[in-house]
Every structure is written in C-alpha cells, then in structure tokens.
C-alpha cells in the first residue's frame, strides 16, 4: 500500500468519525411537540406546517380531533423556527383564514405540549414543557398531572380514590389554563383502579371523572404502570359537555 492510498484511507476514516460525532450533537436533536385540540365545538383541526400557504392535498393532512390524543398528535420538529397554521376542518381552502397561526421556536431536544383551548370564535392557546418522571421497574409507580382546559368554567378541585387513597385531594383551586406538575402514584399489585374526579371548587359538584383500570395488574400488557399521563378537564356549557381527555406520555 503506497503513501497516497494510506492518506486517502485516513482521510475517509476522519470524515466518517466526524460525521458520526455530528449525529450525536444535542443541537441536531429534533424537538417533540404534542398538540391537543381542546376547543369545544370543533370537529377536527387540520395542521399546515407550511404556515398559511394553501394545502394542496388537505384531505390527507393531519387532523387533530377534539378531545382525542394519540400518536397522530405528536410531531417531530427539526427546524428551529417552524411555521404552523391550524384550520377548522373543512375550512381549509386558499381563501380560508387559519384558526391559529404560529411561528414555533423550539430548542433542540425540547419536549412540549401545545394546548389549543378557548372557542372557535375566541381561540386561545398555551404551551408547557414536558418532563415526565422516570419510573424504575422496581418502584411500581405511575404519574399524572392535571389540567383545567374548560373555558368559562371556574376553578376545580381534583380528588383520587383507590389503593390507599379515599377521596384525597390531588389539586385545589385549579384555574382555567393551569397545569399541575407530575404527581407520582403507587401502582403496585395492591391497587386495582384509580378514580380521579374533577369537582367545582365552590360547590363540590362533580363535573367529570376518569378511571385508570387494572393499575396494579401483573402483566406485560399493563398500560398504566411505569407511565406518565396528563388528565385534563374539557368542555364548555351549551357547546359540549364537560369531559376528560387523557395524554399518554409513554405511548
């Protein structure tokens, strides 16, 4: 092998090493953005990551259905400044006005949730940073955070029943557009179900409830243990009933 060949191979190895190192740089990591449609009266919102440029094939565009959250709602954002417009389906023609128009600025590796709230006539929004806790297998735990996403609704209290809890308060005076931190809960074999109830803060009247079933079941298919969730109160009087929506942060 002559010197020229050796130098060529060395140069290729150095370039390969540099490329491998570059892929591991934090600045190259995309951000993760979950978007929840919590606008009472909306059927679905169509996403347009070209901003307000008309969608050519809007029938195939992502549709965010009201009060639902699954993998369709989670987006990987690589650009540091990313336009995003959302249209109320089927109002998606070239002359349509978007319900929302953003210029997103997300840091590399960010994990955030964008809550679309308010109403069709007065849309509102807020974004939170997601930092679900780590669940070691030996801990047998889960975690939930609570959100009040119901416009024109007063503050709520949130209670939990199940396991060692009996109508214990998890959150007090939870105002509209407010999200708690993650609350860690036991999820061992002694826990069957957890009932979480949203109640009017002033009267104690039950407004909506959600049940986590089979929390402590010992099976590989346990969909609750070692996971973190956001549980929100949604709905608006005379538009859609008060209800709950669940975001699974470990789908």
């Amino acid at each position: 092998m002559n010197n020229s060949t050796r130098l060529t191979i060395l140069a290729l190895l150095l370039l390969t090493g540099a490329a491998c190192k570059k892929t591991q740089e934090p600045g190259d990591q995309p951000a993760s953005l979950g978007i929840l449609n919590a606008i009472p009266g909306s059927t679905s919102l169509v996403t347009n990551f070209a901003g307000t440029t008309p969608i050519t094939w809007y029938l195939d565009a992502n549709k965010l259905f009201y009060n639902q959250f699954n993998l369709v709602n989670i987006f990987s954002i690589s650009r540091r400044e990313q336009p995003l417009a959302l249209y109320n389906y089927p109002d998606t023609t070239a002359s349509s006005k978007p319900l929302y128009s953003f210029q997103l600025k997300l840091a590399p590796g960010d994990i955030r949730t964008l809550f679309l709230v308010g109403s069709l006539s007065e849309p509102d929004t807020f974004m939170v940073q997601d930092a679900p806790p780590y669940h070691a297998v030996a801990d047998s735990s889960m975690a939930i955070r609570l959100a009040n996403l119901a416009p024109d609704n007063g503050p709520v209290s949130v209670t939990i029943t199940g396991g060692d809890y009996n109508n214990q308060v998890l959150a007090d005076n939870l105002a509209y557009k407010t999200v708690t931190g993650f609350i860690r809960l036991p999820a061992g074999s002694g826990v069957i179900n957890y009932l979480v109830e949203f109640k009017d803060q002033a009267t104690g009247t039950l407004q909506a409830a959600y049940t986590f079933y089979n929390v402590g079941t010992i099976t590989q298919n346990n969909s609750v243990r070692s996971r973190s969730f956001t549980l929100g109160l949604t709905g608006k009087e005379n538009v859609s009933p008060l209800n709950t929506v669940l975001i699974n942060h470990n789908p």
Side-chain angles (χ1 to χ4, degrees):
M1 183 183 295
N2 58 40
N3 289 335
S4 177
T5 303
R6 289 192 183 96
L7 289 173
T8 301
I9 293 174
L10 179 60
L12 289 172
L13 289 173
L14 289 172
L15 287 172
T16 302
C20 292
K21 182 179 180 181
K22 183 178 179 182
T23 61
Q24 297 170 358
E25 289 293 332
D28 291 333
Q29 296 177 5
S32 176
L33 180 66
I35 307 177
L36 174 66
N37 174 8
I39 306 174
S42 66
T43 302
S44 65
L45 300 179
V46 176
T47 62
N48 183 1
F49 284 94
T52 55
T53 302
I55 303 172
T56 304
W57 304 105
Y58 69 86
L59 289 176
D60 297 325
N62 286 307
K63 297 183 182 67
L64 307 183
F65 290 93
Y66 172 67
N67 227 43
Q68 295 182 28
F69 193 96
N70 48 52
L71 291 176
V72 174
N73 296 69
I74 302 175
F75 301 89
S76 180
I77 309 294
S78 298
R79 297 174 60 179
R80 298 300 157 246
E81 293 194 14
Q82 172 65 61
L84 170 62
L86 294 112
Y87 295 80
N88 185 39
Y89 184 81
D91 187 20
T92 55
T93 63
S95 60
S96 299
K97 181 180 179 181
L99 196 63
Y100 295 95
S101 182
F102 302 100
Q103 187 70 24
L104 301 172
K105 295 182 180 181
L106 302 174
D110 258 358
I111 304 175
R112 294 177 179 259
T113 299
L114 176 63
F115 294 94
L116 307 177
V117 293
S119 65
L120 290 175
S121 58
E122 296 183 9
D124 203 350
T125 180
F126 69 103
M127 184 186 295
V128 298
Q129 185 82 41
D130 296 334
Y134 170 73
H135 300 279
V137 175
D139 291 344
S140 295
S141 63
M142 62 175 290
I144 62 173
R145 67 179 179 184
L146 306 159
N148 185 349
L149 310 174
D152 298 336
N153 197 52
V156 298
S157 64
V158 188
T159 62
I160 186 170
T161 297
D164 294 331
Y165 302 115
N166 183 16
N167 204 37
Q168 180 166 325
V169 175
L170 291 179
D172 220 9
N173 277 308
L174 188 63
Y176 172 55
K177 289 176 61 177
T178 301
V179 181
T180 70
F182 283 97
I183 304 165
R184 193 182 292 270
L185 300 170
S189 57
V191 183
I192 301 175
N193 303 327
Y194 276 134
L195 172 65
V196 181
E197 297 179 308
F198 290 83
K199 302 174 183 178
D200 181 271
Q201 182 70 41
T203 65
T205 302
L206 178 65
Q207 295 184 320
Y210 184 89
T211 301
F212 292 93
Y213 291 102
N214 304 316
V215 174
T217 302
I218 302 176
T219 172
Q220 292 182 343
N221 297 322
N222 189 317
S223 60
V224 179
R225 181 189 289 153
S226 299
R227 288 170 169 80
S228 298
F229 305 88
T230 295
L231 181 63
L233 175 69
T234 59
K236 181 179 173 67
E237 187 177 357
N238 299 324
V239 179
S240 62
L242 289 175
N243 204 343
T244 58
V245 63
L246 187 71
I247 297 176
N248 184 351
H249 294 282
N250 312 98

